[in-house]
Amino acid sequence: MAMSMPLHAVTYFRGYVDGVRNRFISDEILFELPQHITAGHTLFINPRHLVISRERLPSSMRNHYAGVIVAMNAIGEEIHIQLQAAAVLHVIITPKSSQEMGLQPGQAVWASCKSSDLTVI
């Protein structure tokens, strides 16, 4: 696994909330938000709240992003994944999950998250 990229505990994007459509819009990516979030300029997402899968999951999650794994790091009991989607996303999963899915750099995958897992300030 590549050991060359720095990873952050939290991924964030700068942009604005479109309260009419319940979306956070940045220059890079769009996130569906819960209705109670009506303002803010920075969106935070914990990489442990992103679900990675080999195919788009049929679920109630509101945010789905197709991308390619560009790097993976084994750090302690976690696998840190850098995914190039509409924007760079950081995902943290267990080694068992990575092994079961056979994840490798260069592989096309999906990252998904619930709108309630997003924080906007």
Side-chain angles (χ1 to χ4, degrees), residues 23-68:
R23 295 178 173 171
F24 183 88
I25 300 168
S26 79
D27 289 340
E28 303 170 273
I29 194 166
L30 176 114
F31 288 92
E32 298 288 334
L33 298 173
Q35 290 183 347
H36 71 274
I37 299 176
T38 59
H41 294 285
T42 305
L43 179 138
F44 297 90
I45 185 165
N46 183 322
R48 290 173 182 85
H49 293 169
L50 285 163
V51 176
I52 197 164
S53 57
R54 295 182 74 176
E55 297 178 6
R56 183 177 171 149
L57 297 174
S59 75
S60 64
M61 288 184 276
R62 305 286 299 156
N63 296 286
H64 304 275
Y65 306 99
V68 174

Side-chain angles (χ1 to χ4, degrees), residues 74-118:
I75 301 174
E77 294 298 315
E78 300 175 328
I79 302 296
H80 292 237
I81 296 171
Q82 185 178 39
L83 177 69
Q84 179 62 58
V88 175
L89 299 171
H90 300 283
V91 182
I92 297 176
I93 63 173
T94 65
K96 184 174 181 178
S97 293
S98 176
Q99 183 180 21
E100 286 175 356
M101 288 189 283
L103 299 179
Q104 297 292 325
Q107 185 175 9
V109 295
W110 285 83
S112 304
C113 68
K114 299 185 324 185
S115 61
S116 59
D117 285 337
L118 303 172

